[in-house]
Amino acid sequence: MDIIELGDDVISGTRRALARAITLVESQRADHRVQAGQLLDYVGQAGRQALRIGLSGTPGVGKSTFIESFGLMLTGLGLRVAVLAVDPSSRRSGGSILGDKTRMDRLSRDPNAYIRPSPSQTKLGGVAQRSRDAVALCEAAGFDVVLIETVGVGQSETMVAEMSDLFLLLLAPAGGDELQGIKRGIMEIADIILVNKADGDLKPAAMRTCADYTGALRLLRKRKRDPDGFPRAMTVSALEDSGLDQVWADIQALISWRRDQGYWDMQRAEQARSWFVEEVRQGLLAQIETPGLLRDRMLQLGDEVARGQSSAAGAAAKLLELVKTPDESLDAGPGTA
Ligand code: GDP
């Protein structure tokens, strides 16, 4: 396939080209990985940036309802919105539950919105890697906002936070007056906590829950990258579209402050660097796991370790010796003065 042509079509905002491009970056085939790298380099030259918003919440909390309402509000403001999902469980549970278009029917029919379900891979790390590439493609395609949805399970929030400019945590009103079983870690990565379903009978409980979280957030150590008043908790109703304009106003206030302070650029640079390191790490692992001499040797050394003939450390050192590149070949490489 012609990568330059595909790249140009992505940049011109052709939806089918974007879909094809995302399929390409999601592929694990070695030749596709090379093409994906070329494509990402090419479209990256367009220098476009979207606002990347991570969003997490347990099933049933109202993520799809929120994304639909919030997304439609944004497109109503003339913005183009992409929705991507990072789903750690898509394979095991036999079917993706995130980023499913039927969950966001009206938004999926909006010409200024694009919804893409989670790539289907067994490893969460792989899903996250490919989703980062999809985010970059959506940026190149000229979307103003990229919403990255995930469920409240294990590592997925951290991974989504690492590819986002800011992170929203969606909660439901608690029954009692104690905090829900939210791990401290996720509270620490949230920039805005949204207590959803603040409507009808649930409204008083939502207000209480919000007050509880406001109190809990005050106890967290102040982060350098936050202006006064952040992270914050607020109530919304995705169903009744209430509070969503305030969410958008708060997001913009936070982001413009971070831009002014230089934290936006700093965070993007750090994320890009760790993204690169992660790609290399995964690539090296894939190289060892690909059928071939290296993998044969690894299996062989594994047997020796299992039989007690070799220590794990000793066998690993032997294998790594085989992967090592002589320093001379690096000297001649590009980028050296
Ligand atoms: P998800 O699994 O997190 O995507 O949750 P959904 O968006 O599918 O919502 C789960 C249920 O909660 C559905 O029955 C929604 O209608 C309901 N729901 C979502 N948002 C609200 C809200 O703001 N208020 C009320 N009362 N119900 C809501």
Side-chain angles (χ1 to χ4, degrees):
M1 92 176 66
D2 188 340
I3 292 300
I4 303 299
E5 200 179 309
L6 180 59
D8 286 337
D9 287 346
V10 168
I11 292 168
S12 72
T14 315
R15 299 169 73 93
R16 280 192 47 210
L18 177 60
R20 272 185 64 205
I22 294 180
T23 303
L24 176 67
V25 300
E26 284 175 358
S27 169
Q28 286 163 303
R29 259 175 52 184
D31 55 334
H32 287 169
R33 297 299 316 137
V34 174
Q35 288 180 324
Q38 291 166 345
L39 178 67
L40 289 162
D41 278 339
Y42 183 73
V43 301
Q45 290 167 12
R48 288 178 175 158
Q49 282 189 337
L51 177 58
R52 307 173 184 167
I53 303 175
L55 173 80
S56 166
T58 48
V61 74
K63 288 183 301 301
S64 38
T65 312
F66 175 82
I67 292 172
E68 171 137 292
S69 302
F70 191 64
L72 287 168
M73 184 191 81
L74 296 179
T75 57
L77 293 170
L79 299 169
R80 295 182 67 215
V81 179
V83 180
L84 303 171
V86 173
D87 186 353
S89 60
S90 57
R91 276 304 101 168
R92 266 161 293 145
S93 64
S96 173
I97 44 162
L98 296 181
D100 180 356
K101 291 193 182 87
T102 60
R103 291 164 70 233
M104 306 165 204
D105 187 41
R106 283 186 299 152
L107 189 63
S108 69
R109 281 186 273 118
D110 189 319
N112 286 318
Y114 177 78
I115 301 177
R116 177 87 183 184
S118 183
S120 54
Q121 283 180 23
T122 46
K123 287 190 201 141
L124 175 57
V127 172
Q129 257 181 302
R130 304 292 65 90
S131 301
R132 286 196 197 97
D133 294 342
V135 170
L137 289 170
C138 290
E139 291 194 304
F143 284 93
D144 302 293
V145 177
V146 181
L147 284 165
I148 311 151
E149 177 194 19
T150 192
V151 277
V153 178
Q155 284 285 294
S156 69
E157 282 115 351
T158 315
M159 289 184 171
V160 169
E162 281 167 2
M163 62 181 98
S164 305
D165 298 314
L166 85 160
F167 195 78
L168 306 178
L169 174 61
L170 209 59
L171 295 175
D177 53 1
E178 54 193 301
L179 299 189
Q180 295 166 67
I182 291 284
K183 284 166 269 121
R184 202 185 163 80
I186 172 133
M187 290 244 325
E188 281 172 351
I189 57 175
D191 294 299
I192 305 178
I193 289 181
L194 300 171
V195 183
N196 190 32
K197 309 195 182 183
D199 50 46
D201 292 348
L202 289 169
K203 193 161 183 176
M207 307 282 279
R208 256 196 329 268
T209 305
C210 183
D212 287 347
Y213 277 96
T214 303
L217 287 173
R218 277 208 204 97
L219 300 177
L220 290 181
R221 193 162 33 90
K222 176 131 178 67
R223 302 179 303 187
K224 222 169 94 198
R225 291 175 192 187
D226 288 329
D228 287 341
F230 284 92
R232 70 170 48 170
M234 58 201 289
T235 57
V236 292
S237 167
L239 203 60
E240 296 186 349
D241 278 4
S242 66
L244 303 185
D245 45 358
Q246 188 58 47
V247 175
W248 181 231
D250 282 3
I251 288 174
Q252 286 178 297
L254 176 60
I255 290 303
S256 76
W257 185 86
R258 284 189 185 157
R259 274 189 191 277
D260 290 348
Q261 302 291 318
Y263 291 131
W264 163 286
D265 288 331
M266 213 186 279
Q267 181 167 320
R268 284 263 171 147
E270 284 170 9
Q271 287 179 343
R273 187 187 292 278
S274 63
W275 182 344
F276 158 69
V277 171
E278 191 55 28
E279 283 289 333
V280 172
R281 201 192 302 265
Q282 296 300 330
L284 281 174
L285 278 177
Q287 208 175 316
I288 294 174
E289 286 164 4
T290 306
L293 291 177
L294 209 50
R295 196 179 70 158
D296 292 348
R297 184 77 182 119
M298 174 138 127
L299 291 174
Q300 203 182 16
L301 285 164
D303 288 342
E304 287 179 22
V305 173
R307 285 196 297 265
Q309 293 164 333
S310 180
S311 70
K318 273 187 213 158
L319 188 81
L320 291 174
E321 201 53 43
L322 298 175
V323 190
K324 211 164 126 184
T325 307
D327 285 349
E328 309 86 72
S329 69
L330 290 176
D331 275 349
T336 42

